[in-house]
Amino acid sequence: FETLPDGTIVYLAIDVRNVDPWGAVVGDALFELSPEGVVREVWNIWDHTDSLPLEHNSAWELGFYPQGKDYSHANAVRYDEGHDSYTISFRNLDTILEIDRETGDHIRQFGRYGDYSLTDGQYIGAPHAAYWTSDDTLLFFTSPRTEDESWAVELKVDDATQTAARTWSYGEGEGQKVLIMGEATRLSGGNTLVNFGSKGILTEVNPQGEVVWRVHMSIGNFPGHTKVLSGFYSDH
């Protein structure tokens, strides 16, 4: 979930439907909760199976959801005030989707079911935490299906040609394959905080890919969502 500037809370929720011949299938929906307590459904995957096809995949059999087979597995939503849009990452569909906040219409899709082409190959796999940076680039964490490692990737999007070019990435050659979560956060000075999820590693790297600092979690677990704080203390 995420809290918007006006106090609205936006959140992902599952929507289970019975689908022949598979039985109960778990899809995803996006809702807003206003400060007044009004709930509005912004978007529902079951209205868009034409562009996000319902297809059997190996993740269906993992039993992640006891309610049914795991269709899309939306794992993160981010709001961009400049675009007035939501960006959702779908693990099982290897797809990143941007939708209009007001209408719920699809604006852009990247990945397996993308309508934008990547200029240097298909490497969006099990994406997580995609969002638009202040430079209007798309930054996300990916675990390409054909690779044995995970990366942070930044794309520059060209709407005229419906292409996306990789302008920066980190993780290639590091050999860190993340099975759960993962995140990339652009810091104010231009460095990037890369969260290697289930590997239990946080790394800050500069634009040249040089490590500023790195921490390995020794608590037997891994970091989820990371948030940068301007300071621990206030004047109040």
Side-chain angles (χ1 to χ4, degrees), residues 115-142:
D115 47 22
Y116 280 62
S117 301
L118 304 183
T119 59
D120 55 343
Q122 178 55 263
Y123 44 79
I124 296 180
H128 196 268
Y131 77 100
W132 297 98
T133 71
S134 58
D135 294 323
D136 208 31
T137 56
L138 187 67
L139 184 63
F140 58 95
F141 194 84
T142 183

Side-chain angles (χ1 to χ4, degrees), residues 6-191:
D6 64 0
T8 296
I9 296 174
V10 58
Y11 61 93
L12 290 164
I14 63 172
D15 184 346
V16 185
R17 306 279 180 99
N18 283 306
V19 181
D20 185 57
W22 300 299
V25 176
V26 181
D28 294 290
L30 185 69
F31 292 90
E32 287 184 351
L33 173 64
S34 75
E36 295 74 33
V38 178
V39 176
R40 178 175 80 96
E41 183 179 271
V42 179
W43 176 90
N44 194 307
I45 197 169
W46 294 108
D47 298 327
H48 300 279
T49 54
D50 53 340
S51 59
L52 296 169
L54 177 61
E55 298 176 341
H56 184 278
N57 63 71
S58 59
W60 282 29
E61 313 305 330
L62 297 180
F64 184 87
Y65 287 115
Q67 295 91 339
K69 298 184 182 301
D70 190 0
Y71 164 21
S72 46
H73 198 110
N75 55 28
V77 58
R78 295 289 184 87
Y79 174 68
D80 184 86
E81 191 170 9
H83 290 204
D84 196 27
S85 69
Y86 293 117
T87 304
I88 307 175
S89 310
F90 297 94
R91 181 194 184 278
N92 289 359
L93 301 180
D94 299 332
T95 299
I96 296 167
L97 169 67
E98 183 185 12
I99 65 172
D100 182 89
R101 178 190 176 187
E102 183 62 31
T103 66
D105 293 339
H106 292 194
I107 301 173
R108 301 176 180 89
Q109 287 181 209
F110 306 91
R112 190 200 313 175
Y113 299 116
D115 47 22
Y116 280 62
S117 301
L118 304 183
T119 59
D120 55 343
Q122 178 55 263
Y123 44 79
I124 296 180
H128 196 268
Y131 77 100
W132 297 98
T133 71
S134 58
D135 294 323
D136 208 31
T137 56
L138 187 67
L139 184 63
F140 58 95
F141 194 84
T142 183
S143 298
R145 302 290 182 177
T146 58
E147 305 292 334
D148 196 30
E149 58 186 7
S150 304
W151 318 332
V153 175
E154 183 176 12
L155 300 179
K156 181 66 176 177
V157 176
D158 187 330
D159 289 322
T161 61
Q162 285 196 290
T163 59
R166 182 168 23 159
T167 61
W168 182 87
S169 63
Y170 177 79
E172 293 170 273
E174 293 292 310
Q176 303 295 344
K177 184 67 171 182
V178 175
L179 300 179
I180 304 172
M181 305 188 88
E183 191 176 43
T185 304
R186 181 59 40 81
L187 305 178
S188 59
N191 290 354

Side-chain angles (χ1 to χ4, degrees), residues 182-224:
E183 191 176 43
T185 304
R186 181 59 40 81
L187 305 178
S188 59
N191 290 354
T192 305
L193 182 64
V194 183
N195 174 354
F196 283 95
S198 57
K199 298 298 290 188
I201 300 171
L202 281 175
T203 304
E204 181 179 338
V205 294
N206 65 20
Q208 293 74 42
E210 300 166 337
V211 175
V212 178
W213 58 262
R214 175 178 290 154
V215 60
H216 293 255
M217 303 296 175
S218 60
I219 58 176
N221 212 321
F222 50 87

